[in-house]
């Protein structure tokens, strides 16, 4: 998923920085701002027990599937009644269920009625987050998953597997520049492709992983872990506003939408880390309250907390250190004839603390 602040491309930098600093008897790794789940999944693969958490429910669904599931689900409850007959020569349970969902007839539910041009035609706010066809596909799949769940035909792992796959599929065909703060006026090429559920990469594991959906600031003092990894937002852009459509697909709770962008109510999901005056005190409190021996913070040189103030806050509790990695970020500046690309140098930070 193309997610703001995703650590997918930095996962080996994190692995190197974290593993060289912690001792080998560390077993429990907490990813308290888990986003897409890529960091938790990476350290799950390394043999840690993972505790993942995020304040957003779509992120909880992704983590509940990628971190929380350790064996590919069998979907016995859905397949046992024999009503689903594969249309092609496939025999894998997951593939059969995904194919069934991918070929359902579209339905005009909340997504179509609120985020698609056809569904919002003639209303105060015409929106184009998805093509009409994809909005109706998304509704049909979301309703079927919920019906199976309510009828007791899915295990919890299976329910979240399908929700995570749907969130990922919807994001791939969203008609946005990347986040859901606005939709595009024209329909971009990827948004014209049909929404298709895909298999998730499940990492097999013998550990009993935990996934939470709460404010991490309140969670840290209740958790027992060896490593606390923190990857909070770096700037004022709230994730609840940038990913509100994914939140609604995940919850499917008929929210009252506001304005042209169709924002859902989100006051209880606003993060202190997006506010200049609150970020550093919130960070310092989490470092103070955690029982983890090691605390790591991912951040960058453009964040609202400064490098020196972070080191000073961490330094109150033990030996703090900083690893950096440079990368070139390319920004498109449009002039009348050509796009001119400007490269800026940004530094990615990994702060480390060995608590005393
Ligand atoms: C930089 S992103 C994390 C990206 C993640 N490491 C990845 O690779 O996908 C920050 C995440 O923190 C979450 N978040 C913000 N404030 C939070 C809070 N107080 N408690 C828990 N999660 C929070 C956001 O929803 C967002 O998913």
């Amino acid at each position: 998923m193309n997610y703001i602040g995703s650590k997918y491309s930095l996962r080996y930098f994190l692995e190197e920085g974290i593993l060289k600093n912690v001792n080998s008897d560390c077993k429990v790794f907490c990813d308290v701002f888990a986003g897409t789940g890529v960091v938790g999944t990476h350290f799950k693969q390394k043999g840690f027990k993972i505790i993942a958490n995020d304040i957003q429910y779509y992120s909880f669904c992704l983590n509940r599937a990628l971190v929380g599931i350790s064996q590919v689900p069998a979907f016995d409850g859905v397949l046992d009644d024999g009503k689903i007959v594969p249309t092609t020569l496939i025999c894998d349970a997951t593939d059969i269920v995904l194919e069934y969902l991918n070929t359902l007839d579209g339905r005009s539910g909340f997504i179509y009625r609120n985020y698609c041009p056809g569904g919002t035609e003639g209303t105060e706010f015409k929106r184009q987050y998805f093509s009409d066809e994809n909005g109706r596909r998304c509704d049909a799949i979301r309703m079927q998953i919920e019906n199976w769940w309510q009828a007791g035909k899915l295990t919890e792992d299976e329910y979240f597997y399908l929700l995570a796959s749907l969130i990922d599929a919807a994001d791939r065909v969203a008609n946005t520049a990347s986040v859901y703060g606005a939709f595009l006026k024209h329909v971009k090429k990827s948004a014209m492709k049909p929404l298709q559920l895909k298999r998730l990469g499940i990492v097999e594991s013998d550990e009993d992983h935990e996934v939470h959906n709460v404010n991490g600031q309140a969670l840290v003092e209740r958790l027992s872990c060896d490593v606390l990894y923190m990857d909070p937002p770096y700037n004022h852009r709230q994730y609840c506003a940038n990913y509100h459509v994914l939140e609604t697909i995940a919850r499917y709770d008929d929210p009252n939408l506001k304005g042209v962008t169709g924002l859902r109510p989100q006051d209880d999901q606003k993060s202190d880390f997006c506010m200049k005056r609150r970020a550093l005190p919130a960070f310092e409190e989490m470092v103070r309250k955690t029982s983890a021996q090691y605390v790591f913070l991912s951040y960058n040189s453009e964040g609202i907390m400064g490098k020196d103030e972070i080191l000073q806050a961490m330094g109150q509790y033990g030996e703090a250190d900083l690893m950096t990695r440079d990368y070139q970020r390319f920004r498109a500046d449009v002039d009348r004839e050509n796009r001119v690309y400007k490269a800026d140098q940004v530094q990615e930070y990994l702060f480390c603390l060995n608590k005393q």
Side-chain angles (χ1 to χ4, degrees):
M1 211 174 130
N2 181 13
Y3 194 62
I4 300 177
S6 165
K7 294 297 168 292
Y8 182 78
S9 59
L10 288 165
R11 62 199 188 286
Y12 294 106
F13 167 64
L14 297 179
E15 177 187 327
E16 188 195 332
I18 293 175
L19 294 187
K20 82 172 183 212
N21 276 289
V22 304
N23 60 35
S24 55
D25 53 6
C26 282
K27 293 264 174 295
V28 184
F29 182 104
C30 176
D31 182 10
V32 68
F33 299 94
T36 57
V38 29
V39 176
T41 308
H42 192 76
F43 283 87
K44 176 184 177 188
Q45 227 154 12
K46 298 276 142 206
F48 285 86
K49 170 191 157 106
I50 307 299
I51 304 175
N53 173 65
D54 201 283
I55 203 165
Q56 297 295 134
Y57 187 68
Y58 63 81
S59 167
F60 170 77
C61 296
L62 295 172
N63 280 274
R64 177 63 187 76
L66 296 170
V67 171
I69 301 178
S70 291
Q71 302 292 332
V72 178
F75 292 104
D76 289 339
V78 170
L79 296 176
D80 276 358
D81 61 14
K83 285 188 188 152
I84 298 183
V85 183
T87 57
T88 51
L89 288 175
I90 46 174
C91 48
D92 177 89
T94 306
D95 290 339
I96 294 172
V97 172
L98 296 184
E99 189 213 29
Y100 176 78
L101 291 170
N102 280 332
T103 52
L104 286 173
D105 287 337
R107 295 182 67 180
S108 302
F110 191 90
I111 304 305
Y112 172 75
R113 285 188 276 104
N114 290 281
Y115 300 126
C116 299
T120 53
E121 182 72 56
T123 67
E124 188 180 3
F125 300 112
K126 189 167 173 186
R127 305 190 184 108
Q128 189 163 234
Y129 284 108
F130 298 106
S131 69
D132 287 347
E133 192 203 0
N134 281 335
R136 297 182 82 248
R137 274 171 181 269
C138 182
D139 278 318
I141 295 171
R142 185 64 187 84
M143 286 183 215
Q144 183 63 74
I145 296 171
E146 203 59 32
N147 289 346
W148 280 340
W149 175 241
Q150 296 299 333
K153 293 189 171 191
L154 295 173
T155 64
E156 198 178 296
D157 277 1
E158 290 164 351
Y159 178 64
F160 285 107
Y161 184 103
L162 296 177
L163 283 187
S165 181
L166 177 59
I167 291 163
D168 177 56
D171 192 58
R172 265 185 277 117
V173 297
N175 190 39
T176 62
S178 79
V179 295
Y180 297 79
F183 48 83
L184 299 174
K185 293 212 171 69
H186 64 283
V187 181
K188 69 177 186 181
K189 221 169 163 188
S190 56
M192 293 176 195
K193 293 189 178 156
L195 181 151
Q196 287 281 306
L197 303 185
K198 289 192 177 160
R199 291 179 74 100
L200 304 177
I202 295 298
V203 175
E204 299 204 347
S205 152
D206 295 329
E207 298 289 345
D208 202 8
H209 306 286
E210 281 174 40
V211 186
H212 301 268
N213 178 214
V214 296
N215 189 326
Q217 291 166 245
L219 185 69
V220 282
E221 66 180 323
R222 292 196 267 124
L223 287 181
S224 173
C225 59
D226 303 308
V227 178
L228 176 66
Y229 171 69
M230 299 169 73
D231 185 18
Y234 302 172
N235 58 33
H236 64 279
R237 298 197 292 177
Q238 293 280 357
Y239 282 76
C240 51
N242 275 324
Y243 294 97
H244 63 104
V245 175
L246 298 184
E247 188 73 3
T248 298
I249 293 171
R251 291 185 185 270
Y252 216 53
D253 56 354
D254 289 357
N256 276 325
L257 304 186
K258 291 257 163 62
V260 68
T261 59
L263 275 183
R264 49 179 292 125
Q266 55 189 23
D267 283 348
D268 55 349
Q269 289 178 309
K270 289 206 170 140
S271 179
D272 282 355
F273 285 87
C274 299
M275 302 178 212
K276 176 81 186 148
R277 271 180 302 130
R278 294 196 188 169
L280 191 65
F283 171 66
E284 196 271 335
E285 191 184 4
M286 289 177 80
V287 175
R288 174 162 47 85
K289 287 185 170 168
T290 182
S291 63
Q293 168 80 50
Y294 301 99
V295 179
F296 294 88
L297 171 74
S298 277
Y299 217 61
N300 75 22
S301 51
E302 298 189 321
I304 59 183
M305 299 190 285
K307 178 176 78 176
D308 294 339
E309 53 189 8
I310 293 171
L311 282 171
Q312 196 193 15
M314 285 181 130
Q316 299 172 69
Y317 302 99
E319 206 181 307
D321 201 359
L322 171 62
M323 279 169 275
T324 60
R325 164 171 286 196
D326 291 339
Y327 66 87
Q328 300 267 314
R329 193 211 21 217
F330 288 89
R331 270 196 185 148
D333 282 353
V334 183
D335 67 17
R336 283 204 184 89
E337 276 110 48
N338 302 304
R339 283 183 91 95
V340 177
Y341 288 92
K342 272 207 232 160
D344 325 315
Q345 192 78 7
V346 182
Q347 274 197 317
E348 188 62 37
Y349 295 148
L350 181 63
F351 294 89
C352 323
L353 169 67
N354 185 348
K355 259 187 115 177
Q356 274 148 13

